[in-house]
Amino acid sequence: METVTVTAPPLERAPAEPDTPSSAGRRGPSIRRRADRSAYLFLLPWFVGLLFTLVPFGASFYLAFTDYNLINPPQWIGLDNFVEMLNDRYLRQALQVTFTYTFVSVPLSLLAALGVALALNKGIKGLRYYRAVYYLPSLLGGSVAIVMLWRYIFGNDGIINVVLGFFGIQGPSWVSDPQYALSVLIILHIWTFGSPMVIFLAGLRQIPLMYYEAASIDGASRWRQFRSITLPLLSPIIFFNLVLALIGSLQTFTQGYIMSGGTGGPSGSTLFYNLYLYIEGFQRFDMGYASALAWLLLVIVALFTAANFLMSRFWVFYDN
């Protein structure tokens, strides 16, 4: 029997379409241009603000090398303002007060913020209410009204001494005694822990629960879980809050000004660096020396921030 082999005809290929740019490719440059215009539009306020920053920045740098009292034209005196700082006992007092305030209040406020954030992260009812209540002091703590209220509470006839009087204790005038005046401001700073607390709480919500579940199965205690899971994964948030709190504390002004009536008293116990700078510039009208003080503060803040970033490589954990 003869076998018939049927061969299928070759398939005809469809003619290739000419290489024309895709629609997405045609729209690409125009989309990018629109995106660039939008970006520059959003950045425009920043560029305008930069002008208002750079001009005083440059003027302050020039005045730091001059003798200027707002009435007579600036007189170039070279490095005399910076040399004068070496023998300025009020500057040493301002640095001592500012560093004491910073090194005591910043760790305590961060610990308070972390502790409350851990408590709120337990899934308690009314979390939004508690979060708002704890956050409110951070909005009002730097205001004049709150500092005035704080001054009344810790005054000679304030609420604190009234409460102590019920127990037969005669309390001092906390804001008028050089031994306690700075401590009152440190307590006020710790009380305003709401802002870092909210950031801590957001960071805690980002830690996967499976890590804690695995640790519980392995028999890890809560303290071990906190030390081996929470702290390492929360370390970038801790570092962020630390840098912000450190910079803010070094620039403290309102609390010291209101509490002391703008003098830094009693006996210089609340003479913060920025308050001393204000006194030199706007009470003694020595703008040249005040500008030099401002540049010294910039260097101090930069050094502390740089030191924090250098040390962060030893304790801040990034999972990437």
Side-chain angles (χ1 to χ4, degrees), residues 232-306:
L233 295 182
L234 201 62
S235 57
I237 307 297
I238 298 173
F239 174 66
F240 175 77
N241 279 331
L242 174 63
V243 172
L244 289 187
L246 195 63
I247 294 175
S249 297
L250 291 173
Q251 297 175 329
T252 299
F253 171 76
T254 304
Q255 294 87 336
Y257 180 85
I258 300 300
M259 194 69 75
S260 66
T263 62
S267 303
S269 58
T270 59
L271 185 63
F272 288 95
Y273 191 97
N274 267 350
L275 178 56
Y276 180 55
L277 190 155
Y278 171 82
I279 292 173
E280 288 292 331
F282 296 95
Q283 292 184 4
R284 298 174 183 167
F285 299 107
D286 192 350
M287 285 295 174
Y289 191 61
S291 298
L293 289 174
W295 277 93
L296 177 62
L297 178 61
L298 175 66
V299 172
I300 292 173
V301 172
L303 288 176
F304 274 102
T305 305

Side-chain angles (χ1 to χ4, degrees), residues 107-122 134 193 196-197 200-201 204 226 234:
L108 292 179
S109 65
L110 291 182
L111 285 175
L114 180 59
V116 174
L118 288 170
L120 295 180
N121 195 42
K122 299 296 184 182
Y134 286 117
F193 61 82
M197 183 271 296
F200 278 139
L201 189 57
L204 289 171
F226 174 75
L234 201 62

Side-chain angles (χ1 to χ4, degrees), residues 73 83 101 137 143 149 170 180 239 245 249 265 284 319:
V83 174
Y101 176 81
S143 65
L149 176 63
Q170 180 62 40
Y180 303 108
F239 174 66
S249 297
R284 298 174 183 167
D319 57 357

